[in-house]
Amino acid sequence: MKKLLVIFALVCSNIVWSQGNLQFNQVLILDATPTGNAITVPAGKVWKIESVALSSNNAYFQINWGGTSYFVLNNSSPYANLPFWLPSNESVSLVGSANAKVSIIEFNVVP
Amino acid sequence: MKNLLFILAVAFSTVSFGQGNLQFNQVVNQAFSSSVTTATYTTLATIIVPAGKVLKIESVGFYPNNGNAVEGVVLIGGHVAFSKSTLNTAGLSEVSNCPIWLSEGSYTFQVRHEWGSNINIRSSYSAIEFNVVP
């Protein structure tokens, strides 16, 4: 019994050291709109924007967050500020040309 | 004695699993805007990585305003994060060297535009910060 308790304690301490890992939760495809698609990253989650599909020439995608605009992608250049991470419990606006689709992975922040 | 050895073995295995792991801490995004002169590096910011943390720069942005060409360089701590410049051996091919891992310390975030004069550059980065679990 004593041995069992010791092993249990050590296993628990190991779990505690593993705090703050990212655990896959789901994938999302969201729209960006010219006026901005306002969304909030849920508490306890972080989002990784992997890619954005643009539909036309001169299309663009930007993220407005915390009073700052992040210019992520513009069709005038194939270069993109991707992947782009969004923190937990933050409201952002996905701004882009019509029919822009944003591909996102949502992770749980394991407490 | 046998019990003691058993406990020590389990303890050592636990310690070895816990050493030097990276533990997610937070998302770090920053954006900058500044007017730059032709082919001269301008320091937009200093990125500070606190003790006990590492920062993984996942991507950087480089966008001149008013439709000016995306031709220039982004340096982070002297490391080329993005380049579309005649300075490249690859000519004007776009090169991104992200992700870039930064250990504790301070690093300058610098940009230059290849040919424009007094062009406003909007630049940014997206990163995740980890705790280094001892």
Side-chain angles (χ1 to χ4, degrees):
Chain A
M1 184 61 182
K2 200 173 171 184
K3 197 191 288 182
L4 191 64
L5 281 173
V6 170
I7 293 169
F8 182 72
L10 288 169
V11 168
C12 283
S13 67
N14 197 20
I15 289 169
V16 169
W17 285 342
S18 300
Q19 276 183 339
N21 281 329
L22 298 181
Q23 177 190 59
F24 171 81
N25 190 46
Q26 64 173 329
V27 294
L28 300 165
I29 296 179
L30 300 179
D31 292 320
T33 65
T35 53
N37 180 12
I39 49 168
T40 300
V41 182
K45 317 283 185 192
V46 292
W47 285 359
K48 183 183 186 185
I49 298 178
E50 290 277 7
S51 65
V52 181
L54 300 178
S55 58
S56 64
N57 291 334
N58 301 317
Y60 64 96
F61 172 67
Q62 72 183 61
I63 297 167
N64 293 340
W65 170 49
T68 301
S69 294
Y70 293 84
F71 297 88
V72 176
L73 180 60
N74 190 312
N75 258 0
S76 66
S77 165
Y79 179 71
N81 190 174
L82 292 170
F84 195 98
W85 288 81
L86 294 174
S88 179
N89 212 20
E90 291 285 342
S91 296
V92 301
S93 183
L94 305 178
V95 182
S97 43
N99 300 318
K101 300 289 184 186
V102 185
S103 177
I104 297 169
I105 303 177
E106 182 179 272
F107 294 92
N108 301 320
V109 180
V110 179
Chain B
M1 184 61 182
K2 200 173 169 184
N3 280 354
L4 186 65
L5 281 173
F6 177 76
I7 292 166
L8 279 175
V10 175
F12 275 121
S13 69
T14 306
V15 168
S16 63
F17 285 149
Q19 277 183 337
N21 277 332
L22 296 182
Q23 176 190 63
F24 172 79
N25 189 44
Q26 64 172 335
V27 172
V28 180
N29 294 326
Q30 281 194 285
F32 318 105
S33 178
S34 180
S35 180
V36 300
T37 55
T38 308
T40 302
Y41 285 104
T42 300
T43 299
L44 298 185
T46 300
I47 300 171
I48 296 173
V49 183
K53 316 280 185 194
V54 293
L55 191 69
K56 183 184 183 188
I57 307 279
E58 290 272 27
S59 63
V60 298
F62 178 84
Y63 294 101
N65 69 348
N66 297 331
N68 285 296
V70 180
E71 292 179 17
V73 180
V74 178
L75 291 182
I76 297 178
H79 185 107
V80 176
F82 166 79
S83 176
K84 185 180 179 185
S85 164
T86 53
L87 296 175
N88 289 335
T89 54
L92 281 173
S93 296
E94 293 185 349
V95 176
S96 171
N97 291 319
C98 291
I100 299 170
W101 288 83
L102 303 176
S103 58
E104 64 183 67
S106 59
Y107 303 86
T108 54
F109 187 102
Q110 298 173 292
V111 298
R112 63 174 266 170
H113 195 268
E114 184 64 21
W115 49 264
S117 180
N118 295 319
I119 287 181
N120 191 269
I121 301 289
R122 297 171 299 203
S123 194
S124 56
Y125 70 86
S126 182
I128 43 179
E129 185 184 87
F130 295 92
N131 303 319
V132 181
V133 179

